[in-house]
Amino acid sequence: MTHRPSRPAAMLIAARRLGMLAGLMAASATAWADAPADEPPEVRTSASLDTWLYGSQTELYADSLLNPGNRLLRVPANQANAEARLSLRATLDSLDAVIDTRAWAQRDWLGPHSDASVPERTQNHSQINLTQGFARIKHEADTFVAGRELLTWGPGTFRSPSNPFYFDAGRTQPLAATPGIDLLRFTRGIGPWRATLGNVFATSEITPAIRMPHTRFLKVDHQGDSHLISLNVALRDHEPGFVGAFAQLTPDDAWLLYGEVGMSSRPAPSGHTWLGGASYTLENGHTFTAEWLHNNGGLRPKQMAAIIDQAEASVQLARQFSSLGDAWLDERMRPLLAQTPRLLGRNYVWLGWQSNPQDTQLIWRTELTTNITDGSAMAMFYIEKNLVPKVSAFAVINQMGGSRRTEFGAAVQSRLTLGLKFFVF
Amino acid sequence: MNRINTATTSSPQPRSSQRMAALALAAVLGVALSAAPRAVQAEPDAQALVRSADQARGGGLPGLVWEVHLVNTGSTIDEQPDERIRVMATATSSLAEVLDPPNVKGSKMLQVDRNMWMTKPGLKKPVAISPRQRLSGQAAIGDIAATNYAKDYDAKYLRDETINGTPCHVLELTATSRQATYDRIIYWVAAQKGVAVKADFLSLSGKKMKSADFDYDARIIINGRTIPFVSRMQISDALTDAKTTMSYSKIVVKAVPAAEFDVANLR
């Protein structure tokens, strides 16, 4: 049992850390104070509002072992979504203020129940989030940030092993709106070196949810002519630490080579994750990317088989004894699923092919993710076409494959999403 | 040429003959100098010409902030809308933010030496991109940032040539590093104003890929001196009728903090 400090003690600890950061700022403030006073302040503001309307249709595997009759995961057969994303920016000389908000409403149609007498169910969800909201001061090579910031890094596309807060890179989910974390950070740059010291107060907005409040981190970067190397350490009181690193190299115009690693005993008992990748860009701007990820915290084949066997046995019992009902099945299965790691497998290959992202009229992307351990795979295709200056249409197709005893073949078979984006201003 | 009597005899010549010989020698030398001026006049310093041309396109300055309006034309262009981009640049780095059109507003492209990233609203993290992912139409990211051909190319003087009534020095620029946007450039620099008038962009094999011409209707003040500055650059594809015209405006010469080129600050 770990001993957690009392609330007053925790506040005292936090205050001391804030004091350290404030001291760092003060030490730099004298160097920052001698900015020339004869130039008029530069003031810039910008605002943008996008609204998205999109709907999804999901096909499930009827013979799913982990989600029989969709009674456990309750994946909606159809979804309708409306989103509004407002972004505000203001700059006064070296001071930036950033506010990104997202308002989201979703209606789910859960599809027919296994019990025909139960009517089709619908659910409504809505939320308003502050995705980012921070103030940033830049002076020479130094930066200070306070607020909620999307603190992501690393060259990996499939996942970001080197980041303790954002393992799921999100680039495999084109409609994702990733929220920031609440922090204070200070970056000092000297020549090609940058050192960042930060304190993260809350990570509660991130989904899938992670809980890493009161995390201190140190990140050191070396920026060269054609490379970027980074090392970071994240620590929490009475919790296992995290060490991450990444490196990327641009040997010429066409190639990009990179790797990421993260080591921690969170969330799995022994978690280290490695990613290696390479991308090649053609003259027309199209890019081919290949990544391999080793996830040491993933399930071994026997562990995965044990989960499937337990699930299958529970389903058989529920079928045999109809009086057991959904609640019983839920009680049996949910703890089982809660123990599964963030990535089920131990080895993945991710392949991507995309158009020139600088194109303003048409962009597309296709990806294939393969779980090498169990042989299952997921393909994704995304396309977005600008119809008129303020309206774009988009489509996302996901297709899963593999036996019911595999990660991508366990529950969802396919998903089709169609939508429109309106760029209001 | 008058024949000079240089015969040597043992007896001394009269004074009037010596004076006439000296005058004749001076006349011969004068004729020789006027007849062959190029033989003794120094060839222009090609690298210095490139530095001068760079300054009128943002090179050699402490930093530059400007807006670029890109217009793509041509029968092969699929109705690409105009783009408006705000650029901050130094000798080795540039940060471009798209202001227009609305569907890509807020996108940013960061270049630090040979490393490049882009981010768009909604992207979880900046994505490393290749210089081959051309900015728009015929324009590369290097075309909207400050020009530093003097750093990235070796210059060789080729000849003099007059372009549209403007006497120019013609130079051949060869890339010294893979960081350079183009492998080889034939560069026309106005003899009087020292600004680039025209450029042909070649592949390593010498095949012309694109060409560009420039206007200098803008003015900036450097060390109390007003100098012409690029106001327009038009890049034309060598094989098709595709063109990209970039108009530069809101030009401010000022030091740009290094923190602007930190990939962690792209949000």
Side-chain angles (χ1 to χ4, degrees):
Chain A
M1 177 183 291
T2 57
H3 169 69
R4 295 190 182 276
S6 63
R7 191 177 181 84
M11 290 176 67
L12 181 61
I13 292 168
R16 280 186 191 149
R17 289 167 191 160
L18 273 175
M20 282 172 58
L21 273 173
L24 275 170
M25 283 177 57
S28 304
T30 50
W32 295 15
D34 57 357
D38 53 344
E39 296 176 0
E42 181 196 6
V43 180
R44 283 189 304 118
T45 58
S46 72
S48 66
L49 174 64
D50 301 346
T51 58
W52 299 11
L53 299 174
Y54 56 98
S56 301
Q57 184 178 55
T58 302
E59 296 287 337
L60 301 177
Y61 285 114
D63 56 347
S64 170
L65 297 173
L66 281 181
N67 187 35
N70 199 22
R71 289 151 69 182
L72 187 63
L73 299 180
R74 300 190 186 100
V75 177
N78 297 290
Q79 283 180 319
N81 289 269
E83 279 191 44
R85 301 188 182 192
L86 175 65
S87 177
L88 304 172
R89 299 276 190 277
T91 297
L92 175 63
D93 269 350
S94 59
L95 173 67
D96 298 328
V98 171
I99 293 178
D100 291 336
T101 61
R102 175 178 177 245
W104 159 78
Q106 178 177 303
R107 185 174 179 88
D108 297 337
W109 286 265
L110 290 164
H113 197 273
S114 56
D115 180 350
S117 66
V118 177
E120 187 172 345
R121 294 163 292 171
T122 60
Q123 287 180 351
N124 295 319
H125 312 274
S126 63
Q127 203 170 16
I128 298 178
N129 297 107
L130 177 68
T131 316
Q132 290 197 110
F134 63 84
R136 176 172 56 207
I137 300 174
K138 287 178 278 191
H139 180 80
E140 301 295 341
D142 301 340
T143 306
F144 175 73
V145 175
R148 179 169 294 173
E149 185 188 25
L150 188 56
L151 191 68
T152 51
W153 60 67
T157 302
F158 177 49
R159 290 295 187 272
S160 292
S162 67
N163 193 308
F165 311 109
Y166 293 100
F167 175 69
D168 184 350
R171 289 207 63 220
T172 52
Q173 302 165 38
L175 306 184
T178 309
I181 53 179
D182 301 341
L183 55 73
L184 285 173
R185 72 167 172 96
F186 175 69
T187 300
R188 164 132 278 186
I190 300 175
W193 293 94
R194 281 193 298 267
T196 302
L197 188 61
N199 191 70
V200 175
F201 299 97
T203 59
S204 54
E205 295 289 322
I206 296 178
T207 56
I210 66 166
R211 297 285 182 263
M212 294 186 68
H214 312 301
T215 301
R216 305 173 303 283
F217 70 92
L218 172 67
K219 182 172 180 281
V220 178
D221 305 325
H222 185 269
Q223 173 85 68
D225 283 357
S226 57
H227 72 265
L228 175 61
I229 300 172
S230 180
L231 175 69
N232 73 87
V233 176
L235 298 171
R236 288 181 64 204
D237 287 341
H238 313 293
E239 292 286 344
F242 175 91
V243 177
F246 72 81
Q248 67 178 67
L249 175 67
T250 309
D252 59 33
D253 281 1
W255 285 98
L256 175 71
L257 308 173
Y258 52 90
E260 290 195 42
V261 61
M263 290 175 281
S264 172
S265 55
R266 162 186 290 278
S270 57
H272 61 264
T273 309
W274 304 78
L275 180 145
S279 71
Y280 184 84
T281 303
L282 302 175
E283 285 286 354
N284 62 4
H286 291 196
T287 301
F288 295 92
T289 306
E291 293 180 357
W292 168 73
L293 181 134
H294 172 72
N295 175 36
N296 201 52
L299 298 174
R300 297 182 187 278
K302 283 185 181 176
Q303 292 170 309
M304 183 72 177
I307 289 177
I308 298 291
D309 288 342
Q310 196 169 345
E312 196 171 14
S314 300
V315 169
Q316 292 292 344
L317 274 174
R319 282 182 185 150
Q320 194 173 359
F321 302 102
S322 57
S323 60
L324 288 173
D326 285 356
W328 177 86
L329 193 60
D330 196 80
E331 194 180 313
R332 291 270 297 188
M333 296 286 284
R334 286 213 178 271
L336 190 69
L337 294 176
Q339 292 172 16
T340 55
R342 55 192 178 181
L343 272 181
L344 294 185
R346 293 175 64 81
N347 290 287
Y348 294 84
V349 168
W350 182 90
L351 302 174
W353 176 25
Q354 69 171 53
S355 64
N356 185 353
Q358 309 262 43
D359 198 324
T360 60
Q361 293 298 94
L362 175 71
I363 55 172
W364 52 263
R365 195 166 90 226
T366 184
E367 304 171 0
L368 178 68
T369 306
T370 304
N371 181 329
I372 300 296
T373 308
D374 65 20
S376 63
M378 175 177 68
M380 192 278 289
F381 178 71
Y382 176 82
I383 186 167
E384 182 174 328
K385 169 86 177 114
N386 188 237
L387 303 175
V388 292
K390 294 209 170 189
V391 181
S392 290
F394 66 90
V396 188
I397 302 170
N398 296 91
Q399 179 67 50
M400 270 57 79
S403 78
R404 298 300 85 78
R405 301 177 67 86
T406 62
E407 177 178 11
F408 295 120
V412 176
Q413 182 177 1
S414 65
R415 178 175 291 129
L416 171 66
T417 303
L418 299 173
L420 293 171
K421 294 183 182 178
F422 300 89
F423 307 100
V424 180
F425 59 82
Chain B
M1 180 186 298
N2 294 331
R3 189 183 174 103
I4 300 172
N5 182 6
T6 57
T8 55
T9 62
S10 59
S11 58
Q13 292 183 342
R15 269 186 121 159
S16 60
S17 297
Q18 288 177 349
R19 193 180 299 125
M20 283 185 65
L23 283 172
L25 181 61
V28 166
L29 284 174
V31 168
L33 280 171
S34 63
R38 288 187 185 279
V40 297
Q41 185 176 343
E43 191 172 88
D45 182 342
Q47 212 67 28
L49 287 172
V50 175
R51 276 195 296 275
S52 169
D54 278 350
Q55 194 172 63
R57 294 179 61 197
L61 301 176
L64 188 67
V65 180
W66 58 5
E67 270 190 30
V68 185
H69 182 205
L70 288 98
V71 178
N72 293 305
T73 57
S75 54
T76 58
I77 300 295
D78 202 13
E79 293 188 9
Q80 283 189 14
D82 296 358
E83 272 191 77
R84 200 162 54 90
I85 299 174
R86 182 176 182 269
V87 182
M88 288 191 281
T90 62
T92 57
S93 305
S94 63
L95 174 64
E97 179 181 355
V98 179
L99 306 176
D100 223 23
N103 64 316
V104 290
K105 178 180 173 182
S107 301
K108 292 183 181 177
M109 289 142 289
L110 172 67
Q111 168 257 326
V112 178
D113 292 306
R114 290 172 54 195
N115 306 283
M116 290 175 60
W117 297 267
M118 75 167 293
T119 186
K120 286 183 177 181
L123 269 188
K124 181 163 182 170
K125 60 179 179 178
V127 176
I129 60 172
S130 160
R132 289 184 169 185
Q133 284 161 332
R134 206 162 280 121
L135 181 66
S136 176
Q138 301 303 309
I141 291 179
D143 295 322
I144 64 166
T147 301
N148 282 288
Y149 288 173
K151 172 176 166 282
D152 297 331
Y153 295 87
D154 273 337
K156 179 178 144 188
Y157 188 92
L158 291 181
R159 61 185 181 275
D160 286 348
E161 195 172 305
T162 299
I163 298 289
N164 297 327
T166 303
C168 295
H169 301 298
V170 185
L171 314 175
E172 179 182 7
L173 310 185
T174 307
T176 56
S177 73
R178 289 177 178 171
Q179 183 182 344
T181 306
Y182 306 102
D183 296 319
R184 287 172 59 202
I185 304 174
I186 305 298
Y187 212 34
W188 283 258
V189 179
Q192 187 177 4
K193 290 186 178 177
V195 299
V197 172
K198 182 183 163 185
D200 283 344
F201 303 103
L202 315 179
S203 65
L204 270 175
S205 63
K207 180 182 169 188
K208 186 162 98 170
M209 301 187 313
K210 300 190 290 189
S211 63
D213 56 81
F214 309 87
D215 291 333
Y216 296 85
D217 297 328
R219 296 288 180 268
I220 62 169
I221 298 174
I222 300 290
N223 298 325
R225 199 166 53 95
T226 301
I227 65 172
F229 203 75
V230 65
S231 56
R232 186 193 71 96
M233 175 181 180
Q234 182 175 75
I235 304 178
S236 306
D237 184 58
L239 298 176
T240 68
D241 63 350
K243 289 183 192 335
T244 297
T245 304
M246 290 172 288
S247 303
Y248 306 95
S249 62
K250 298 183 182 177
I251 301 164
V252 176
V253 178
K254 68 173 189 177
V256 181
E260 294 287 357
F261 309 115
D262 181 352
V263 63
N265 293 336
L266 269 186
R267 294 288 165 190

